[in-house]
Amino acid sequence: MRINNDQIKASNKELLDVHKEDLVQLAKKHKNLEQIIDTIAKYNIAIPSWALGAGGTRFGRFGFGGEPGNLEQKLDDVAVINDLTGSANAVSLHIPWDIPGNAEAIKAKAHLLGLNFDAMNSNTFQDQQDQEHSYKFGSLCHTDKVVRDQAVAHNKEVIDQGVALGSKSLTVWLADGSNFPGQLNFRRAFENTLASLKEIYAYLPADWKMFIEYKPYEPNFYSMVIQDWGTSHMLAKDLGEKAFTLVDLGHHLPNTNIEQIVATLVTKGMLGGFHFNDSKYGDDDLSVGVIKPYQLFLIFNELVYGFDNNKANNPIPAWMIDASHNLKDPLEDLIQSVEAIETAYAKALLIDQKALEKAQLANDVVASQRILQDAFQSDVKIILAEARLRNGAALDPIEAYRKMDVRKELINERGMNNAATGL
Ligand code: RM4
Ligand code: MN
Ligand code: MN
């Protein structure tokens, strides 16, 4: 199904008058309102292809009716999110969950829907049917060269698939590590990983980037080869200027100061991108902004400051969601995540950076805190709504989605038992 302009206009009609009045009021408050609306209107976040169906845990999975059964249907779902929010014009694919049968046809379909392909994700954390060697004891780090070669070859294939679709980056996340002390020689595992990554890097087209994700634990519970941003940064540095660190918000030990990591990476020009999600305990992959919205705002503060003062020429990061949920309609959940990211961004744009710098230089701790919290406590719903309106999207995307009965339509089209590929 495709949402059309008339449906959007109809859903906006009732809300439009009040919205316009609110906007006039807000303009009196913020001098740079136009600029902020413009920035938010141009901002886009990539949707992960693996979050369009119900997520699961090792204890079970509760399917959701009307899930996309193939890549074409996944693109249709991303288009729904994009049509309603005006801020999700890209999809991030996971191979082999999403191998395109006919890349040209998939690319044409995506373009028709107004979508493009963000980073490609490789998967050497699961064994596939007919795979010769197992990743049970690791992939790029494996003690046996034939396993490493197989994992390298997979990453090269993912690059090929991405080239055919017009993607420009590869994200590597490794489950490699160990469950028991003594199981693995740390230094050998690191050296093997670096050597394997070098082979993949050498295969990258000139205009591609490689993003290296880190994670402190899970699925391995004693050690992960790329456990933290320092390790990722070290590897990326060794590889060359097309390699960067990717920050997945759920991949930190509790209470880690992620905004400081972001600031440091931008200082060094090494921040490649994000996987947005939220968590209370570990890699919970909850919808963005549900647990720690202030942290997200502080991260965006570092991004706004970082890119206004971008001495190391850090490229604009890849903005991706990486969430997986059990309970909600996946499309509603992703819409909520998109909104949460834009909310944090808009609030960060409201920070009076000059006043903050003045307060910081004067060591005025109270004033610094007030400046941040003034911005954080501002209501930016109208800013987001206006940005969406200018993009031809819905003033209230969730409300519109429900009024249009999208899920019911998808169930009619695809049935109750279609299961999307993914986790
Ligand atoms: C991992 C990591 C990767 C994602 C997989 C599915 O924990 O976040 O980015 O590709 O999950
Ligand atoms: Mn991730
Ligand atoms: Mn994760």
Side-chain angles (χ1 to χ4, degrees):
M1 74 161 289
R2 182 85 206 261
I3 290 172
N4 64 46
N5 267 343
D6 292 342
Q7 283 174 292
I8 301 251
K9 275 197 191 130
S11 84
N12 286 346
K13 208 170 161 212
E14 265 173 46
L15 306 169
L16 204 57
D17 289 346
V18 176
H19 168 72
K20 286 287 170 205
E21 278 166 34
D22 287 348
L23 191 66
V24 173
Q25 291 306 320
L26 199 66
K28 289 180 190 157
K29 241 194 204 161
H30 305 298
K31 277 181 282 156
N32 55 346
L33 188 66
E34 259 310 303
Q35 211 185 318
I36 296 176
I37 294 170
D38 192 54
T39 304
I40 297 296
K42 289 186 179 130
Y43 186 61
N44 273 286
I45 301 141
I47 301 298
S49 65
W50 58 102
L52 296 160
T57 69
R58 62 198 162 110
F59 299 107
R61 178 182 179 276
F62 305 94
F64 213 91
E67 288 186 23
N70 54 40
L71 185 49
E72 283 84 351
Q73 292 180 352
K74 287 184 178 183
L75 294 179
D76 286 333
D77 281 12
V78 177
V80 167
I81 302 170
N82 190 38
D83 289 341
L84 290 172
T85 64
S87 309
N89 70 2
V91 59
S92 188
L93 300 188
H94 226 303
I95 306 294
W97 295 336
D98 299 307
I99 294 186
N102 176 343
E104 272 312 306
I106 287 289
K107 202 172 155 186
K109 178 174 172 83
H111 286 174
L112 218 62
L113 294 169
L115 304 175
N116 50 64
F117 293 93
D118 214 278
M120 302 292 291
N121 299 263
S122 56
N123 177 343
T124 59
F125 48 87
Q126 290 173 319
D127 285 347
Q128 308 301 327
Q129 253 180 356
D130 308 325
Q131 182 180 309
E132 209 180 333
H133 308 288
S134 171
Y135 296 134
K136 181 172 177 181
F137 295 108
S139 59
L140 296 185
C141 83
H142 203 278
T143 48
D144 193 341
K145 182 148 177 7
V146 293
V147 184
R148 300 201 296 275
D149 287 346
Q150 177 183 280
V152 167
H154 166 71
N155 276 277
K156 290 182 181 174
E157 268 167 43
V158 174
I159 295 172
D160 289 340
Q161 311 261 13
V163 168
L165 294 171
S167 166
K168 295 278 177 227
S169 48
L170 170 74
T171 299
V172 178
W173 172 71
L174 300 177
D176 294 11
S178 66
N179 269 322
F180 300 98
Q183 177 190 331
L184 170 141
N185 179 300
F186 295 138
R187 291 178 56 182
R188 200 180 300 130
F190 181 87
E191 293 298 339
N192 283 344
T193 302
L194 177 58
S196 305
L197 285 172
K198 276 187 179 163
E199 287 185 50
I200 300 165
Y201 185 87
Y203 194 75
L204 276 185
D207 58 346
W208 270 55
K209 293 192 192 103
M210 186 196 274
F211 303 135
I212 303 172
E213 227 175 313
Y214 55 93
K215 185 168 177 175
Y217 71 92
E218 199 208 13
N220 276 295
F221 292 99
Y222 169 63
S223 76
M224 293 284 276
V225 176
I226 311 181
Q227 62 162 332
D228 57 15
W229 70 280
T231 312
S232 159
H233 174 270
M234 241 190 278
L235 292 166
K237 258 283 176 257
D238 269 359
L239 291 176
E241 55 190 19
K242 291 183 281 184
F244 299 86
T245 295
L246 184 137
V247 178
D248 181 316
L249 299 192
H251 292 191
H252 302 88
L253 294 173
N255 304 325
T256 298
N257 190 332
I258 303 175
E259 54 272 28
Q260 190 177 6
I261 295 173
V262 169
T264 309
L265 287 171
V266 177
T267 304
K268 289 291 181 188
M270 292 301 287
L271 177 69
F274 283 93
H275 275 180
F276 290 112
N277 50 50
D278 211 341
S279 62
K280 188 154 177 68
Y281 302 106
D283 191 22
D284 308 347
D285 280 338
L286 297 176
S287 330
V288 182
V290 283
I291 307 285
K292 287 169 280 188
Y294 195 53
Q295 172 183 269
L296 188 62
F297 161 79
L298 294 173
I299 290 170
F300 270 96
N301 172 40
E302 294 306 332
L303 289 168
V304 170
Y305 177 80
F307 286 92
D308 282 350
N309 300 276
N310 190 4
K311 294 195 189 97
N313 256 328
N314 198 110
I316 298 298
W319 315 104
M320 293 171 276
I321 294 175
D322 183 2
S324 170
H325 30 81
N326 284 318
L327 303 177
K328 294 192 253 175
D329 176 328
L331 296 184
E332 291 192 346
D333 180 80
L334 286 160
I335 291 170
Q336 287 185 313
S337 283
V338 167
E339 278 194 72
I341 295 166
E342 292 193 314
T343 299
Y345 191 8
K347 288 184 178 192
L349 289 167
L350 284 175
I351 296 168
D352 185 340
Q353 292 287 347
K354 277 205 187 111
L356 181 60
E357 185 172 273
K358 208 172 139 203
Q360 286 169 340
L361 291 175
N363 294 307
D364 189 339
V365 185
V366 170
S368 307
Q369 180 184 324
R370 265 170 64 106
I371 292 161
L372 287 185
Q373 290 187 343
D374 272 353
F376 180 68
Q377 283 154 7
S378 303
D379 187 350
V380 295
K381 281 202 210 88
I382 300 155
I383 297 179
L384 266 59
E386 179 62 16
R388 283 194 292 266
L389 196 65
R390 292 183 189 184
N391 282 330
L395 281 169
D396 184 339
I398 293 281
E399 188 66 20
Y401 179 87
R402 292 192 167 191
K403 274 202 186 133
M404 292 172 196
D405 258 334
V406 178
R407 183 53 58 183
K408 209 168 129 202
E409 286 248 357
L410 293 175
I411 291 173
N412 286 345
E413 243 176 59
R414 303 169 183 169
M416 273 307 284
N417 300 321
N418 239 1
T421 46
L423 279 177

Short mmCIF file of all heavy atoms in Angstrom, two decimals, residues 38-78:
data_model
loop_
_atom_site.label_atom_id
_atom_site.label_comp_id
_atom_site.label_asym_id
_atom_site.label_seq_id
_atom_site.Cartn_x
_atom_site.Cartn_y
_atom_site.Cartn_z
N ASP A 38 13.97 24.63 9.25
CA ASP A 38 14.60 24.25 8.00
C ASP A 38 15.57 23.07 8.20
O ASP A 38 15.60 22.11 7.43
CB ASP A 38 15.34 25.47 7.44
CG ASP A 38 15.78 25.24 6.02
OD1 ASP A 38 14.90 24.90 5.21
OD2 ASP A 38 16.99 25.38 5.74
N THR A 39 16.37 23.16 9.26
CA THR A 39 17.33 22.08 9.55
C THR A 39 16.59 20.76 9.81
O THR A 39 16.98 19.71 9.29
CB THR A 39 18.18 22.44 10.79
OG1 THR A 39 18.80 23.70 10.55
CG2 THR A 39 19.25 21.40 11.07
N ILE A 40 15.55 20.84 10.61
CA ILE A 40 14.80 19.62 10.92
C ILE A 40 14.10 19.08 9.67
O ILE A 40 14.07 17.87 9.43
CB ILE A 40 13.76 19.87 12.06
CG1 ILE A 40 14.48 20.26 13.36
CG2 ILE A 40 12.85 18.66 12.28
CD1 ILE A 40 15.37 19.18 13.96
N ALA A 41 13.59 19.99 8.85
CA ALA A 41 12.88 19.54 7.63
C ALA A 41 13.83 18.80 6.69
O ALA A 41 13.43 17.89 5.96
CB ALA A 41 12.25 20.73 6.92
N LYS A 42 15.10 19.18 6.71
CA LYS A 42 16.06 18.54 5.79
C LYS A 42 16.69 17.28 6.38
O LYS A 42 17.42 16.57 5.69
CB LYS A 42 17.17 19.54 5.43
CG LYS A 42 16.65 20.64 4.54
CD LYS A 42 17.78 21.54 4.07
CE LYS A 42 17.23 22.63 3.16
NZ LYS A 42 17.69 23.95 3.54
N TYR A 43 16.45 17.03 7.63
CA TYR A 43 17.10 15.92 8.33
C TYR A 43 16.40 14.59 8.01
O TYR A 43 15.18 14.52 7.96
CB TYR A 43 17.03 16.21 9.83
CG TYR A 43 17.79 15.24 10.70
CD1 TYR A 43 19.16 15.08 10.57
CD2 TYR A 43 17.13 14.50 11.68
CE1 TYR A 43 19.85 14.21 11.39
CE2 TYR A 43 17.82 13.62 12.50
CZ TYR A 43 19.18 13.48 12.35
OH TYR A 43 19.86 12.61 13.15
N ASN A 44 17.20 13.55 7.78
CA ASN A 44 16.64 12.22 7.50
C ASN A 44 17.35 11.14 8.29
O ASN A 44 18.55 11.24 8.53
CB ASN A 44 16.78 11.91 6.01
CG ASN A 44 15.60 12.45 5.23
OD1 ASN A 44 14.51 11.88 5.28
ND2 ASN A 44 15.81 13.55 4.53
N ILE A 45 16.60 10.13 8.65
CA ILE A 45 17.15 9.03 9.44
C ILE A 45 16.86 7.72 8.70
O ILE A 45 15.75 7.54 8.18
CB ILE A 45 16.47 9.00 10.82
CG1 ILE A 45 16.70 10.32 11.55
CG2 ILE A 45 16.97 7.83 11.66
CD1 ILE A 45 15.49 10.79 12.30
N ALA A 46 17.86 6.84 8.64
CA ALA A 46 17.66 5.57 7.93
C ALA A 46 16.94 4.55 8.82
O ALA A 46 17.22 4.44 10.01
CB ALA A 46 19.00 5.01 7.47
N ILE A 47 16.04 3.82 8.19
CA ILE A 47 15.25 2.80 8.89
C ILE A 47 15.93 1.44 8.71
O ILE A 47 16.31 1.08 7.59
CB ILE A 47 13.82 2.75 8.30
CG1 ILE A 47 13.13 4.12 8.43
CG2 ILE A 47 12.99 1.64 8.94
CD1 ILE A 47 12.91 4.62 9.83
N PRO A 48 16.09 0.68 9.79
CA PRO A 48 16.72 -0.64 9.64
C PRO A 48 15.71 -1.65 9.09
O PRO A 48 14.60 -1.76 9.61
CB PRO A 48 17.09 -1.01 11.08
CG PRO A 48 16.12 -0.28 11.94
CD PRO A 48 15.69 0.96 11.18
N SER A 49 16.11 -2.35 8.06
CA SER A 49 15.18 -3.31 7.43
C SER A 49 14.76 -4.40 8.40
O SER A 49 13.72 -5.00 8.26
CB SER A 49 15.87 -3.95 6.23
OG SER A 49 16.96 -4.73 6.69
N TRP A 50 15.60 -4.63 9.44
CA TRP A 50 15.33 -5.74 10.36
C TRP A 50 14.39 -5.34 11.50
O TRP A 50 14.11 -6.14 12.38
CB TRP A 50 16.63 -6.32 10.92
CG TRP A 50 17.54 -5.37 11.66
CD1 TRP A 50 17.66 -5.27 13.02
CD2 TRP A 50 18.48 -4.44 11.12
NE1 TRP A 50 18.61 -4.32 13.34
CE2 TRP A 50 19.12 -3.79 12.19
CE3 TRP A 50 18.83 -4.07 9.81
CZ2 TRP A 50 20.10 -2.81 12.01
CZ3 TRP A 50 19.80 -3.10 9.63
CH2 TRP A 50 20.42 -2.47 10.71
N ALA A 51 13.91 -4.11 11.49
CA ALA A 51 13.00 -3.68 12.57
C ALA A 51 11.57 -3.53 12.07
O ALA A 51 10.72 -3.00 12.77
CB ALA A 51 13.48 -2.37 13.16
N LEU A 52 11.30 -4.00 10.85
CA LEU A 52 9.96 -3.79 10.29
C LEU A 52 8.98 -4.90 10.68
O LEU A 52 7.79 -4.80 10.45
CB LEU A 52 10.05 -3.66 8.77
CG LEU A 52 10.86 -2.42 8.33
CD1 LEU A 52 11.34 -2.56 6.90
CD2 LEU A 52 10.03 -1.15 8.50
N GLY A 53 9.54 -5.97 11.26
CA GLY A 53 8.68 -7.02 11.79
C GLY A 53 8.82 -7.01 13.31
O GLY A 53 9.60 -6.22 13.85
N ALA A 54 8.08 -7.88 13.97
CA ALA A 54 8.20 -7.94 15.42
C ALA A 54 9.57 -8.49 15.79
O ALA A 54 10.08 -9.40 15.15
CB ALA A 54 7.12 -8.85 15.98
N GLY A 55 10.18 -7.92 16.80
CA GLY A 55 11.45 -8.46 17.29
C GLY A 55 11.17 -9.65 18.19
O GLY A 55 10.03 -9.98 18.47
N GLY A 56 12.22 -10.26 18.65
CA GLY A 56 12.02 -11.39 19.54
C GLY A 56 13.13 -11.45 20.56
O GLY A 56 14.08 -10.66 20.51
N THR A 57 13.01 -12.33 21.50
CA THR A 57 14.09 -12.59 22.44
C THR A 57 14.37 -14.08 22.37
O THR A 57 13.66 -14.81 21.69
CB THR A 57 13.71 -12.24 23.89
OG1 THR A 57 12.74 -13.19 24.33
CG2 THR A 57 13.15 -10.83 23.99
N ARG A 58 15.37 -14.52 23.12
CA ARG A 58 15.65 -15.97 23.06
C ARG A 58 14.52 -16.76 23.71
O ARG A 58 14.47 -17.98 23.64
CB ARG A 58 17.00 -16.27 23.69
CG ARG A 58 17.13 -15.93 25.15
CD ARG A 58 18.60 -15.85 25.55
NE ARG A 58 18.77 -15.13 26.80
CZ ARG A 58 19.13 -15.71 27.94
NH1 ARG A 58 19.37 -17.00 27.97
NH2 ARG A 58 19.28 -14.99 29.03
N PHE A 59 13.58 -16.06 24.36
CA PHE A 59 12.46 -16.77 24.99
C PHE A 59 11.25 -16.88 24.08
O PHE A 59 10.30 -17.56 24.40
CB PHE A 59 12.08 -16.08 26.30
CG PHE A 59 13.21 -16.07 27.28
CD1 PHE A 59 13.91 -14.91 27.56
CD2 PHE A 59 13.62 -17.25 27.88
CE1 PHE A 59 14.97 -14.91 28.43
CE2 PHE A 59 14.69 -17.27 28.76
CZ PHE A 59 15.37 -16.09 29.04
N GLY A 60 11.27 -16.13 23.01
CA GLY A 60 10.13 -16.24 22.11
C GLY A 60 9.94 -15.01 21.27
O GLY A 60 10.61 -13.99 21.46
N ARG A 61 9.04 -15.17 20.32
CA ARG A 61 8.75 -14.04 19.43
C ARG A 61 7.25 -14.06 19.18
O ARG A 61 6.66 -15.11 18.93
CB ARG A 61 9.50 -14.25 18.11
CG ARG A 61 9.23 -13.17 17.08
CD ARG A 61 9.97 -13.47 15.77
NE ARG A 61 9.69 -12.46 14.79
CZ ARG A 61 8.63 -12.44 14.00
NH1 ARG A 61 7.73 -13.41 14.07
NH2 ARG A 61 8.46 -11.45 13.13
N PHE A 62 6.66 -12.89 19.31
CA PHE A 62 5.23 -12.78 19.08
C PHE A 62 5.03 -11.99 17.79
O PHE A 62 5.26 -10.78 17.77
CB PHE A 62 4.55 -12.09 20.27
CG PHE A 62 4.85 -12.79 21.57
CD1 PHE A 62 5.90 -12.36 22.38
CD2 PHE A 62 4.11 -13.89 21.96
CE1 PHE A 62 6.20 -13.02 23.57
CE2 PHE A 62 4.40 -14.55 23.15
CZ PHE A 62 5.45 -14.12 23.95
N GLY A 63 4.64 -12.66 16.74
CA GLY A 63 4.52 -12.04 15.43
C GLY A 63 3.50 -10.92 15.41
O GLY A 63 2.65 -10.80 16.30
N PHE A 64 3.61 -10.10 14.37
CA PHE A 64 2.68 -8.99 14.23
C PHE A 64 2.01 -9.14 12.87
O PHE A 64 2.70 -9.33 11.88
CB PHE A 64 3.45 -7.67 14.31
CG PHE A 64 2.65 -6.59 14.94
CD1 PHE A 64 2.71 -6.38 16.31
CD2 PHE A 64 1.80 -5.80 14.18
CE1 PHE A 64 1.94 -5.39 16.90
CE2 PHE A 64 1.04 -4.83 14.77
CZ PHE A 64 1.10 -4.61 16.13
N GLY A 65 0.75 -9.08 12.78
CA GLY A 65 0.07 -9.25 11.49
C GLY A 65 0.57 -8.29 10.43
O GLY A 65 0.95 -7.16 10.74
N GLY A 66 0.57 -8.76 9.17
CA GLY A 66 0.90 -7.88 8.05
C GLY A 66 2.37 -7.54 7.95
O GLY A 66 2.74 -6.57 7.28
N GLU A 67 3.24 -8.33 8.59
CA GLU A 67 4.68 -8.05 8.48
C GLU A 67 5.15 -8.20 7.03
O GLU A 67 4.61 -9.02 6.29
CB GLU A 67 5.48 -9.05 9.34
CG GLU A 67 5.34 -8.79 10.82
CD GLU A 67 6.26 -9.70 11.64
OE1 GLU A 67 7.27 -10.18 11.11
OE2 GLU A 67 5.95 -9.91 12.82
N PRO A 68 6.17 -7.45 6.64
CA PRO A 68 6.66 -7.58 5.26
C PRO A 68 7.35 -8.93 5.06
O PRO A 68 8.18 -9.32 5.87
CB PRO A 68 7.65 -6.43 5.12
CG PRO A 68 8.06 -6.08 6.52
CD PRO A 68 6.90 -6.43 7.41
N GLY A 69 7.02 -9.62 3.98
CA GLY A 69 7.55 -10.96 3.75
C GLY A 69 8.75 -10.96 2.82
O GLY A 69 9.42 -11.98 2.66
N ASN A 70 9.04 -9.85 2.20
CA ASN A 70 10.20 -9.78 1.31
C ASN A 70 10.72 -8.34 1.26
O ASN A 70 10.13 -7.44 1.86
CB ASN A 70 9.82 -10.28 -0.09
CG ASN A 70 8.62 -9.53 -0.64
OD1 ASN A 70 8.49 -8.32 -0.47
ND2 ASN A 70 7.72 -10.27 -1.30
N LEU A 71 11.79 -8.16 0.53
CA LEU A 71 12.44 -6.85 0.50
C LEU A 71 11.54 -5.77 -0.12
O LEU A 71 11.49 -4.63 0.36
CB LEU A 71 13.77 -6.96 -0.27
CG LEU A 71 14.67 -5.73 -0.32
CD1 LEU A 71 14.87 -5.11 1.05
CD2 LEU A 71 16.02 -6.11 -0.93
N GLU A 72 10.79 -6.15 -1.15
CA GLU A 72 9.88 -5.19 -1.78
C GLU A 72 8.89 -4.65 -0.74
O GLU A 72 8.64 -3.44 -0.66
CB GLU A 72 9.07 -5.85 -2.92
CG GLU A 72 9.84 -6.04 -4.21
CD GLU A 72 10.68 -7.33 -4.20
OE1 GLU A 72 10.79 -7.96 -3.12
OE2 GLU A 72 11.23 -7.67 -5.25
N GLN A 73 8.35 -5.56 0.04
CA GLN A 73 7.36 -5.14 1.05
C GLN A 73 8.02 -4.32 2.16
O GLN A 73 7.41 -3.41 2.73
CB GLN A 73 6.64 -6.37 1.63
CG GLN A 73 5.75 -7.05 0.59
CD GLN A 73 5.02 -8.28 1.13
OE1 GLN A 73 5.27 -8.74 2.23
NE2 GLN A 73 4.11 -8.81 0.33
N LYS A 74 9.27 -4.64 2.45
CA LYS A 74 9.98 -3.83 3.45
C LYS A 74 10.11 -2.39 2.95
O LYS A 74 9.94 -1.44 3.71
CB LYS A 74 11.36 -4.42 3.74
CG LYS A 74 11.31 -5.70 4.56
CD LYS A 74 12.70 -6.19 4.91
CE LYS A 74 12.64 -7.43 5.79
NZ LYS A 74 13.96 -7.90 6.21
N LEU A 75 10.42 -2.26 1.67
CA LEU A 75 10.53 -0.90 1.11
C LEU A 75 9.19 -0.17 1.20
O LEU A 75 9.13 1.01 1.53
CB LEU A 75 11.01 -0.95 -0.35
CG LEU A 75 12.43 -1.46 -0.58
CD1 LEU A 75 12.75 -1.48 -2.07
CD2 LEU A 75 13.47 -0.61 0.16
N ASP A 76 8.10 -0.90 0.93
CA ASP A 76 6.78 -0.28 1.05
C ASP A 76 6.56 0.25 2.47
O ASP A 76 6.01 1.33 2.66
CB ASP A 76 5.68 -1.30 0.73
CG ASP A 76 5.60 -1.60 -0.76
OD1 ASP A 76 5.96 -0.72 -1.56
OD2 ASP A 76 5.17 -2.71 -1.12
N ASP A 77 6.99 -0.52 3.45
CA ASP A 77 6.79 -0.11 4.85
C ASP A 77 7.63 1.13 5.19
O ASP A 77 7.17 2.03 5.89
CB ASP A 77 7.15 -1.26 5.81
CG ASP A 77 6.03 -2.29 5.88
OD1 ASP A 77 5.10 -2.22 5.05
OD2 ASP A 77 6.06 -3.15 6.78
N VAL A 78 8.87 1.15 4.69
CA VAL A 78 9.71 2.32 4.95
C VAL A 78 9.07 3.55 4.31
O VAL A 78 9.06 4.65 4.88
CB VAL A 78 11.16 2.12 4.44
CG1 VAL A 78 11.99 3.36 4.66
CG2 VAL A 78 11.80 0.93 5.15
#
